[in-house]
Amino acid sequence: MQKNIAIVGAGFSGAVIARQLAEAGYQVEIFESRPHIAGNCHSERDAETGVMVHIYGPHIFHTDIERVWEYVNRYSRFMPYVNRVKAITNNSVYTLPINLLTINQFFGKTFRPAEAQEFLASLGDKSIENPVTFEDQALRFVGKELYEAFFKTYTVKQWGMQPTELPASILKRLPVRFNYDDNYFAHKYQGMPENGYTDLVEKIMDVPGITLHLNTKFDPANKGDYAHVFYSGPIDAWFKHSEGRLPYRTLDFEVFRDTGDYQGNAVINYCDDSQPYTRITEHKHFSPWEKHEKTLMYKEYSRQCEEKDIPYYPIRQARDKQQLERYVTVAREEPNVTFVGRLGTYRYLDMDVTINEALDTADKFLECAKGNERMPAFVIDPLA
Ligand SMILES: Cc1cc2nc3c(=O)[nH]c(=O)nc-3n(C[C@H](O)[C@H](O)[C@H](O)COP(=O)(O)OP(=O)(O)OC[C@H]3O[C@@H](n4cnc5c(N)ncnc54)[C@H](O)[C@@H]3O)c2cc1C
């Protein structure tokens, strides 16, 4: 049996599948169109400041999935890091997600948890019984003042759409904590790989049986040269956009440097319209165990993704899902190709979910090979 496998993309999806299959005895070739590995998680030390920079925007590793935490710790030491986000709105600085401190500061109160809960319930718009839009849901949960200060303008800046155009499902739960917990993520494990994400991905790929081709775009016409292809590029690009381009948001980063400490925190969101950007990230705060005199920041702007831009966030409005459905239908007919990762399945995926799905995908492939069964086009249903 032919045992050579092509993997398109050297992000977490590609790297993890490659390692699992190489360890099982397959010859794996990875094709990556960029000049580096690690996909959008790529990090690089800035020559001028010495700071480790998250080139495609800030990435914080957080997970509840035991096997994923154990997996990444095999390849890198994880340093303690807790993401604490601040927000500027109405000329004041607050803590995000909205917590007891945010509520007390915002309303000039000294509420205890139960009092704050009761107060917030009194602010919620009770006339909205069946929330349809993001705006309805936010007004129902937190009332007009908090909604306008923290959600309304920020949503427009991030998504280029009015909250009245977005579904209520975006805000599934009450986005508020009635305590002073300011840890942005509620997961059991959180941290930063000591030498950056690219080093971690390099170590994952460091096993006999893997050949890496950088600066090499994989052409679907060459799929016949391999027993199987795992594709972590954009699903619409595989089919030459035959059903139209799936819409994404892209990001522009304005990079600037300074000395000392620019903002005293890794991430500060700008929730009102005092600034056109959504946030400023100061990268050296992601490595609190390192010391740097100089500092490097990103001002982050969000806009619609055009043909030449890097796709970041899939939009997944109802009409986009219909388009995705058409791609999924043709993909299911495509023999010997499995679509994986954030672009291959057109979903926003955190790194831990990406790694978990990649492990499942490799397991499924090995199981199918053993039982002589057809490997499906999707291990995880992108329409679910
Ligand atoms: C701004 C931003 C911030 C994020 N922050 C976090 C965070 O804090 N925590 C977290 O857990 N997750 C975060 N994520 C999610 C994280 O980036 C993804 O989970 C991860 O990148 C998914 O990995 P992937 O391998 O599926 O995709 P990618 O990293 O996108 O890798 C796909 C690779 O395929 C290559 N490729 C595509 N087509 C071809 C082709 N035809 N030939 C060759 N190569 C090709 C691309 O160049 C790319 O390198 C964030 C995402 C964004 C957009």
Side-chain angles (χ1 to χ4, degrees), residues 358-374:
L359 289 170
D360 282 345
T361 301
D363 287 348
K364 179 76 186 173
F365 179 77
L366 295 174
E367 196 187 297
C368 287
K370 207 168 153 193
N372 227 355
E373 287 162 34
R374 184 182 181 215

Side-chain angles (χ1 to χ4, degrees), residues 27-42:
Q27 286 301 316
V28 179
E29 283 187 66
I30 305 181
F31 298 88
E32 172 53 64
S33 51
R34 291 172 177 174
H36 60 76
I37 59 166
N40 269 14
C41 305
H42 173 54

Side-chain angles (χ1 to χ4, degrees), residues 182-351:
D182 64 351
N183 178 352
Y184 196 77
F185 299 112
H187 284 149
K188 183 171 172 188
Y189 303 110
Q190 190 171 168
M192 282 287 168
E194 188 174 23
N195 300 311
Y197 291 101
T198 300
D199 172 75
L200 166 61
V201 173
E202 195 180 323
K203 302 264 163 53
I204 292 174
M205 284 170 23
D206 184 16
V207 66
I210 295 182
T211 313
L212 170 67
H213 307 278
L214 289 177
N215 299 304
T216 311
K217 190 171 175 178
F218 185 84
D219 185 344
N222 297 331
K223 67 175 181 187
D225 297 344
Y226 299 90
H228 201 86
V229 179
F230 292 89
Y231 177 75
S232 72
I235 184 169
D236 52 354
W238 181 271
F239 297 103
K240 298 194 165 45
H241 306 104
S242 59
E243 302 291 332
R245 283 181 182 274
L246 286 166
Y248 281 90
R249 297 293 285 174
T250 192
L251 300 175
D252 295 318
F253 300 113
E254 191 182 317
V255 183
F256 62 107
R257 296 173 179 81
D258 207 338
T259 48
D261 193 349
Y262 179 78
Q263 63 179 12
N265 201 45
V267 183
I268 299 191
N269 287 7
Y270 286 78
C271 297
D272 61 15
D273 54 13
S274 60
Q275 304 297 343
Y277 39 84
T278 52
R279 58 183 173 176
I280 296 182
T281 300
E282 184 169 9
H283 291 250
K284 74 175 176 187
H285 293 300
F286 288 129
S287 312
W289 63 94
E290 295 184 0
K291 294 277 168 279
H292 300 283
E293 240 171 68
K294 293 184 180 168
T295 189
L296 179 147
M297 281 68 57
Y298 271 17
K299 273 183 190 161
E300 185 172 322
Y301 300 81
S302 169
R303 64 177 169 81
Q304 194 185 328
C305 186
E306 306 290 345
E307 208 175 310
K308 293 271 172 277
D309 297 322
I310 300 173
Y312 279 88
Y313 296 108
I315 296 180
R316 287 182 76 101
Q317 288 269 70
R319 62 173 177 274
D320 314 326
K321 276 185 137 177
Q322 283 169 12
Q323 200 182 356
L324 173 65
E325 227 171 281
R326 295 198 291 276
Y327 279 116
V328 168
T329 305
V330 282
R332 288 201 165 118
E333 301 301 315
E334 191 82 348
N336 304 328
V337 183
T338 299
F339 296 81
V340 297
R342 64 178 199 100
L343 300 167
T345 61
Y346 191 61
R347 288 172 306 150
Y348 176 83
L349 298 178
D350 272 329
M351 292 179 277

